[in-house]
Amino acid sequence: MKLGPEIAKRSYSHRSRRGQTWHVDETYVRVGGKWRYLWRAVDQRGQFVEFRLTARRDARAAKPFLRRARDNARLFQSQAIVTDKAPTYARIIREINDRAFQGDPILHVDRKWRNNIVESDHASLKRLTDPAKDFQSLRAAKATFRGIEAIRTIKRGHVVGRHDGVKGEISFVNSLFGLAA
């Protein structure tokens, strides 16, 4: 539970530039015997942007998720956000656009089939975590997902300074911890 978040923290500054079209969706995971919502955002290349784990699926949960995703993206803000037809997203994106003082407004695309990239990414993520078992606590689930997303980002080559292949992945993680390859 400690190694995943540490790899995520150390590799965060090495993440490559995120695309400007984000695909946002939520899925379900079991935590402590209850269903929780895992909000996730990936760019048009499938590169991880952000995640958030919440008890509710409403505007009060979506707003901090999108705010944190935009804050963490820094210079690489989204120009378009692709979602399913959930009305929550439309309201939040409209609020973001109303508050924006500069730049172009975010385009909201709400075509269900256009969001297949994040839907398939959910499926591959759930294969890594056993859906039959649940996490014991919210803290453990967040730490696990933080580590999984960091490792998947490294494996997919979405970091700067990583060489190709498994040896490249190993040497990149070793360099994060100051170890010789």
Side-chain angles (χ1 to χ4, degrees):
M1 186 158 95
K2 293 178 183 176
L3 188 58
E6 187 63 28
I7 291 173
K9 183 175 82 174
R10 291 179 185 221
S11 67
Y12 179 79
S13 63
H14 297 276
R15 291 184 357 175
S16 60
R17 181 179 186 272
R18 264 95 47 226
Q20 294 181 320
T21 300
W22 294 356
H23 296 262
V24 178
D25 194 32
E26 69 284 336
T27 188
Y28 304 92
V29 293
R30 291 198 47 95
V31 178
K34 297 178 184 172
W35 288 108
R36 300 294 183 215
Y37 299 95
L38 179 64
W39 302 76
R40 296 183 63 246
V42 298
D43 72 2
Q44 70 268 22
R45 296 179 313 246
Q47 182 174 341
F48 171 71
V49 175
E50 190 59 64
F51 84 93
R52 185 164 192 251
L53 200 56
T54 64
R56 289 192 300 269
R57 182 185 177 222
D58 58 7
R60 284 181 39 200
K63 195 174 195 174
F65 163 66
L66 284 176
R67 184 183 315 120
R68 188 166 75 186
R70 289 176 52 90
D71 289 348
N72 287 344
R74 296 183 301 255
L75 299 175
F76 312 113
Q77 295 294 317
S78 63
Q79 292 179 343
I81 296 179
V82 181
T83 67
D84 55 13
K85 293 205 177 263
T88 303
Y89 296 117
R91 194 169 103 210
I92 299 302
I93 292 170
R94 199 175 321 111
E95 285 179 18
I96 291 170
N97 285 338
D98 290 344
R99 289 189 190 149
F101 297 112
Q102 59 193 11
D104 296 326
I106 297 170
L107 175 66
H108 179 218
V109 180
D110 63 347
R111 302 286 183 267
K112 193 172 184 86
W113 61 273
R114 295 277 313 262
N115 221 15
N116 287 348
I117 191 167
V118 73
E119 294 287 353
S120 64
D121 204 48
H122 285 329
S124 63
L125 179 68
K126 285 192 171 190
R127 276 193 297 273
L128 293 173
T129 61
D130 188 357
K133 297 180 181 175
D134 62 349
F135 294 97
Q136 296 300 312
S137 69
L138 208 53
R139 184 172 157 243
K142 287 178 182 178
T144 301
F145 285 118
R146 189 169 290 120
I148 287 173
E149 293 292 4
I151 294 297
R152 289 174 75 203
T153 297
I154 293 167
K155 283 186 72 63
R156 291 175 175 176
H158 294 157
V159 291
V160 176
R162 176 192 161 272
H163 298 291
D164 291 338
V166 175
K167 288 183 179 180
E169 295 168 18
I170 292 169
S171 66
F172 178 78
V173 173
N174 283 342
S175 72
L176 294 176
F177 290 93
L179 304 173

